[in-house]
Amino acid sequence: MAVNTARPQVNRPKANTLREVPKVEKPRPARPPRQKGTSLFELLDRYTKVDWFFAEGLPVRYLPKVLFLMAVTLFYIGNTHYADRTLRRIDKTKAETEDLRADYTTLKSDYMEASKQSEVARNVSPLGLMESSTPPIQVVIKKDEY
């Protein structure tokens, strides 16, 4: 018989019988209390003294001002991140521009060198073309000839 088939349980408990109660572990002993003043919040509480502000509950009348300040702060943080990202993009673009300018200058120099008359003559000599030794002549056509 295959291992992954369902088999009926042999010692299945009946519906209305008592089941065995699992043993409960003993609770751990409580930690000794911490010394006052060691927590960050306790230090803030000791030096700020704002308990009187919340004595009657949360002051709802200040809620719009607090929410406005939170929105301005979030906008400021987002704007700072956006400016940093933009500056990084600008720096990256400047570096790419410098690389492309250097490539352009190199290619222009190579093109100017290759387009000299002596270089052109040297490059076409294997094809059987030679540089002309006679100067060019000017063809003059009168107006009434053509």
Side-chain angles (χ1 to χ4, degrees):
M1 179 177 235
V3 178
N4 62 354
T5 57
R7 297 182 191 168
Q9 293 180 354
V10 178
N11 296 330
R12 198 165 94 195
K14 307 238 186 229
N16 291 332
T17 59
L18 292 175
R19 294 187 181 163
E20 188 176 317
V21 178
K23 295 179 182 178
V24 178
E25 294 181 17
K26 294 180 182 178
R28 290 191 225 168
R31 289 184 183 177
R34 294 177 65 181
Q35 295 177 359
K36 192 164 180 107
T38 58
S39 169
L40 173 68
F41 294 109
E42 289 181 15
L43 288 173
L44 285 174
D45 186 38
R46 182 185 307 166
Y47 292 114
T48 56
K49 305 291 185 194
V50 291
D51 290 340
W52 62 270
F53 192 70
F54 297 104
E56 296 176 6
L58 181 67
V60 180
R61 66 180 184 205
Y62 297 118
L63 197 57
K65 294 175 185 174
V66 169
L67 290 176
F68 175 74
L69 287 176
M70 286 174 51
V72 168
T73 304
L74 287 175
F75 178 75
Y76 178 74
I77 292 170
N79 195 22
T80 305
H81 285 295
Y82 177 74
D84 288 342
R85 183 177 43 197
T86 304
L87 286 175
R88 273 185 257 128
R89 268 198 234 142
I90 288 171
D91 290 341
K92 182 179 175 184
T93 306
K94 279 184 182 178
E96 288 176 3
T97 304
E98 286 297 318
D99 289 342
L100 290 174
R101 187 189 60 77
D103 291 343
Y104 167 75
T105 306
T106 305
L107 289 174
K108 184 178 176 183
S109 171
D110 291 344
Y111 176 71
M112 293 300 282
E113 179 69 27
S115 64
K116 287 182 179 177
Q117 183 179 356
S118 59
E119 288 295 320
V120 172
R122 185 181 307 133
N123 289 336
V124 297
S125 63
L127 300 174
L129 299 175
M130 294 183 0
E131 191 175 351
S132 175
S133 59
T134 61
I137 58 169
Q138 184 177 5
V139 177
V140 179
I141 300 176
K142 297 180 183 173
K143 287 185 177 182
D144 57 348
E145 285 184 24
Y146 189 69

